[in-house]
Amino acid sequence: MKKHIWLSSIFLIIGGVGILFCLLTQNYQDEGKRYSKKWAFSNEEFKKFEFNK
């Protein structure tokens, strides 16, 4: 049981250091970039599509 307590406390300390690092360097904010891309297909490319079940 003591092994579990030591192991969990080590993980908590590592996680706390990681959170503090992110907060101090301000790497936690999203830059607001769009992650989607619009694909342009021609009619011939649509004809080649095959939908399998």
Side-chain angles (χ1 to χ4, degrees), residues 3-14:
K3 186 190 296 185
H4 293 109
I5 293 173
W6 280 105
L7 192 62
S8 61
S9 62
I10 289 172
F11 283 136
L12 283 174
I13 291 170
I14 291 172

Side-chain angles (χ1 to χ4, degrees), residues 8-48:
S8 61
S9 62
I10 289 172
F11 283 136
L12 283 174
I13 291 170
I14 291 172
V17 169
I19 290 173
L20 283 176
F21 178 75
C22 288
L23 290 175
L24 293 175
T25 59
Q26 295 181 352
N27 283 336
Y28 58 90
Q29 294 179 352
D30 189 16
E31 295 177 2
K33 294 181 181 177
R34 296 188 74 170
Y35 297 110
S36 62
K37 183 176 180 178
K38 294 183 179 179
W39 300 92
F41 292 106
S42 66
N43 286 339
E44 293 185 17
E45 289 175 332
F46 275 118
K47 290 178 185 176
K48 294 179 184 176

